[in-house]
Amino acid sequence: MEEIINTKIKTEFIKLDQLLKFSGLCDTGGFAKELIVSGEVTVNGEVCTMRGKKIRPGDEIKVREYTVRVE
């Protein structure tokens, strides 16, 4: 079952690896990097392997059964 996490950012953007930590999906940057590099993360429906990808409000990130909606 999919779990949706709504995450509000106060800046123009946040980097993908930072978002995974900020939203509570990863405890460490190393684990975030591992998920991203292994192709387990999608941004707006497309696999993204760039840790520094800029994520902006309106973007949707999926990791396994979790969906993060950035506001």
Side-chain angles (χ1 to χ4, degrees):
M1 185 169 151
E2 182 179 50
E3 183 176 334
I4 297 173
I5 301 167
N6 292 309
T7 302
K8 184 172 271 190
I9 61 171
K10 296 180 180 181
T11 55
E12 181 185 346
F13 66 86
I14 186 171
K15 292 182 180 179
L16 180 58
D17 57 349
Q18 294 172 340
L19 176 72
L20 295 182
K21 290 190 298 182
F22 182 67
S23 63
L25 290 179
C26 296
D27 293 334
T28 66
F31 183 51
K33 175 185 174 184
E34 200 174 298
L35 285 173
I36 295 165
V37 172
S38 68
E40 293 188 59
V41 179
T42 64
V43 176
N44 298 324
E46 295 185 19
V47 172
C48 180
T49 57
M50 298 184 326
R51 290 175 29 206
K53 170 113 174 115
K54 293 179 180 177
I55 305 300
R56 293 182 163 81
D59 287 340
E60 189 171 271
I61 290 76
K62 290 190 179 190
V63 182
R64 300 180 180 159
E65 70 272 12
Y66 298 98
T67 298
V68 179
R69 291 186 179 150
V70 182
E71 302 173 351

